[in-house]
Amino acid sequence: MGWLRERRVALAALTLFTLLAGDFFRYLLSWFGWAAIVALLLGAWVTLAIRSRVDPRRVPIALAAFLVLAVASTAWSAYPLTTLLAVVTTLATAFGGVMMAATLTLDQVIRALGVAVRWIIGLSLAFEFIVATLIRGPVLPFWVDYEPPIPRAFYWSRGELFEVFGDGRIQGIVGNANLLAAAAALGLIVFAIQLIDRRIPRVTAWFWVGASVVTLLLTQSATVTVALAGCAFTLGIVVAARRFARRERRMLYAAAVGTGVLGTVAAMALREPLLALLGRSGDLTNRVDIWAAVIELWQERPVGGWGWISYWAPWVEPYNDLAVINGVTYLQAHSAWLDVLLQLGVLGLALFTVLVVTTVLRCASWSIDPASGEVQHSPALRAFPALLVTLLIVQSFAESRLLIEGGLVLFTYLAVASMRAGLPPIAPSAPLPVRAPDGASR
């Protein structure tokens, strides 16, 4: 069944590429083209679930409760039809994460993610080079017809590859510098693990580590820089914890939590100089204004929120004019936590907090102590769950991508896989009896 396992890795790689680089397809093929591709991928995962006899009930209680609340919010939503559509997309995305956790090993997920990120980084660098050298001007997405003056945020690429030492930033095929930087950060983690474990040729691994670093420098994302600093901190804790006995780790964890709290307080107190060092404004690139507008709107429906919407639909009240800055209508709260608070109220935020905390704790345990019965992964590979969850959670405070597309499928994978750690992936299918020519089973 080796060929089937490889097909699963290929399916996972294509799924991750499609969700991490969603705007690439939307800008190139329109929302309808992207939706058609997603529908085909969903059909493939459903087919795999049926053939593999996946039990959909094997998910964490906190994850199931959060999804049930999102579905239930249709009853009190201010936009029930849009909430129904949002629920379908959210459940479909989460289903992909559940299937990856149920049918792929940790090593296979690393391979799939590596393939997806290589394509994103490679195509993005090539795309920006072509725009800067041949087109020599900004490029708009296809299938749009904007009236001038066109805000800078609307461009697929602004052709700023050779201006990055000034105020320029590349956006790549994903059309957003922060999203491209997040993909590069994922690549840096994955390729470093593959380099240490020699899972791919050393020259290839070093090349993609270098490409990830170059992409990070060209995107200049403060959010991802902070997230990578958090990953470095997590890696230090994981390495140190592996050297201590279980009883001695309590002091290490207490010190880590204390350091994290003090670091957060210090960062908030020194926000202005730190942001200046990262080349960002004190308002966190308009985030402070967006957060204020979101909190003010939430106060009108504090308990259950306005109803699940996932992406902010620009044609739906009150999102059509909730955050309009410099002619750009923002379609997220720029914080997954505030988005949950706005859409599902304090009930949703409480469930979301439980889900995040329990997932983080399980991922940390998975990275430090291999579960009984689990395939013995290398120390570098075992660190991946803790590093990935750190990257996603730190980024969630300044971006809402954890709730949609690539962020949601990866987080769902971690939530389910960390609970299933130690269990083998589900078999491709139950073996069928083979009949001899005379009709007797053998």
Side-chain angles (χ1 to χ4, degrees):
M1 287 295 184
W3 63 274
L4 182 55
R5 288 193 294 271
E6 292 304 312
R7 286 189 177 185
R8 291 180 183 181
V9 173
L11 176 60
L14 182 56
T15 301
L16 290 169
F17 177 82
T18 302
L19 296 180
L20 289 171
D23 281 335
F24 167 67
F25 291 103
R26 291 189 285 267
Y27 291 170
L28 185 66
L29 303 175
S30 79
W31 274 88
F32 297 103
W34 178 77
I37 294 174
V38 170
L40 290 175
L41 291 173
L42 179 60
W45 284 113
V46 170
T47 301
L48 179 59
I50 295 173
R51 292 183 176 180
S52 301
R53 301 180 182 178
V54 173
D55 185 355
R57 296 171 296 179
R58 298 190 63 87
V59 299
I61 295 176
L63 174 61
F66 181 79
L67 294 176
V68 167
L69 181 63
V71 174
S73 71
T74 307
W76 63 81
S77 173
Y79 31 80
L81 292 180
T82 306
T83 293
L84 186 61
L85 176 62
V87 163
V88 171
T89 60
T90 298
L91 292 178
T93 306
F95 174 73
V98 172
M99 284 300 302
M100 288 184 193
T103 60
L104 297 174
T105 65
L106 182 60
D107 174 60
Q108 289 173 326
V109 170
I110 282 275
R111 288 168 52 200
L113 189 56
V115 171
V117 173
R118 276 198 293 271
W119 278 100
I120 293 174
I121 294 175
L123 289 175
S124 292
L125 294 177
F127 174 60
E128 290 288 352
F129 181 78
I130 291 172
V131 172
T133 57
L134 299 181
I135 301 177
R136 297 184 180 181
V139 176
L140 284 169
F142 300 161
W143 314 100
V144 297
D145 185 19
Y146 297 129
E147 294 291 336
I150 301 174
R152 285 168 51 84
F154 286 8
Y155 287 102
W156 189 352
S157 170
R158 295 191 289 265
E160 297 177 344
L161 177 61
F162 300 132
E163 301 174 21
V164 292
F165 295 106
D167 296 328
R169 304 169 67 190
I170 68 168
Q171 299 175 206
I173 62 170
V174 297
N176 183 289
N178 288 328
L179 296 183
L180 180 57
L186 280 172
L188 186 60
I189 294 171
V190 170
F191 303 141
I193 291 174
Q194 292 179 329
L195 174 64
I196 294 171
D197 285 349
R198 299 185 179 182
R199 295 177 179 274
I200 58 178
R202 293 180 64 85
V203 173
T204 302
W206 275 115
F207 173 83
W208 287 109
V209 166
S212 299
V213 172
V214 168
T215 303
L216 288 168
L217 294 175
L218 295 176
T219 50
Q220 302 179 37
S221 172
T223 301
V224 174
T225 299
V226 173
L228 283 175
C231 290
F233 180 76
T234 296
L235 181 60
I237 298 301
V238 168
V239 172
R242 289 175 179 176
R243 298 175 180 271
F244 294 164
R246 290 180 180 269
R247 294 181 179 178
E248 298 171 343
R249 292 175 185 170
R250 295 179 181 177
M251 295 184 60
L252 175 65
Y253 297 152
V257 171
T259 301
V261 172
L262 290 176
T264 301
V265 172
M268 293 177 63
L270 301 173
R271 186 181 70 183
E272 296 289 343
L274 289 176
L275 288 172
L277 183 64
L278 294 172
R280 294 294 177 267
S281 59
D283 66 350
L284 300 174
T285 317
N286 301 319
R287 284 176 173 81
V288 173
D289 293 336
I290 296 174
W291 294 343
V294 168
I295 292 174
E296 182 180 358
L297 182 62
W298 159 73
Q299 291 173 342
E300 297 182 22
R301 292 188 171 199
V303 179
W306 285 75
W308 185 248
I309 197 170
S310 183
Y311 308 86
W312 287 7
W315 63 87
V316 173
E317 291 279 358
Y319 302 101
N320 57 343
D321 60 357
L322 178 59
V324 181
I325 301 174
N326 297 326
V328 178
T329 301
Y330 286 82
L331 301 179
Q332 60 162 315
H334 272 291
S335 168
W337 303 80
L338 287 180
D339 246 325
V340 170
L341 182 65
L342 175 64
Q343 299 176 38
L344 298 179
V346 293
L347 294 177
L349 185 61
L351 285 176
F352 184 68
T353 301
V354 172
L355 172 60
V356 169
V357 170
T358 53
T359 300
V360 168
L361 292 177
R362 288 197 305 270
C363 286
S365 176
W366 189 12
S367 293
I368 294 170
D369 291 314
S372 59
E374 182 183 8
V375 176
Q376 294 301 305
H377 298 299
S378 70
L381 184 59
R382 280 170 45 210
F384 176 71
L387 296 178
L388 178 57
V389 78
T390 299
L391 182 66
L392 293 174
I393 299 306
V394 174
Q395 189 185 20
S396 73
F397 289 99
E399 301 283 347
S400 298
R401 306 297 298 189
L402 186 67
L403 305 177
I404 60 174
E405 299 184 7
L408 179 58
V409 77
L410 287 174
F411 182 70
T412 303
Y413 162 77
L414 289 174
V416 178
S418 60
M419 186 186 73
R420 296 178 58 91
L423 298 177
I426 292 175
S429 61
L432 299 176
V434 179
R435 295 190 176 277
D438 60 359
S441 298
R442 61 179 176 88

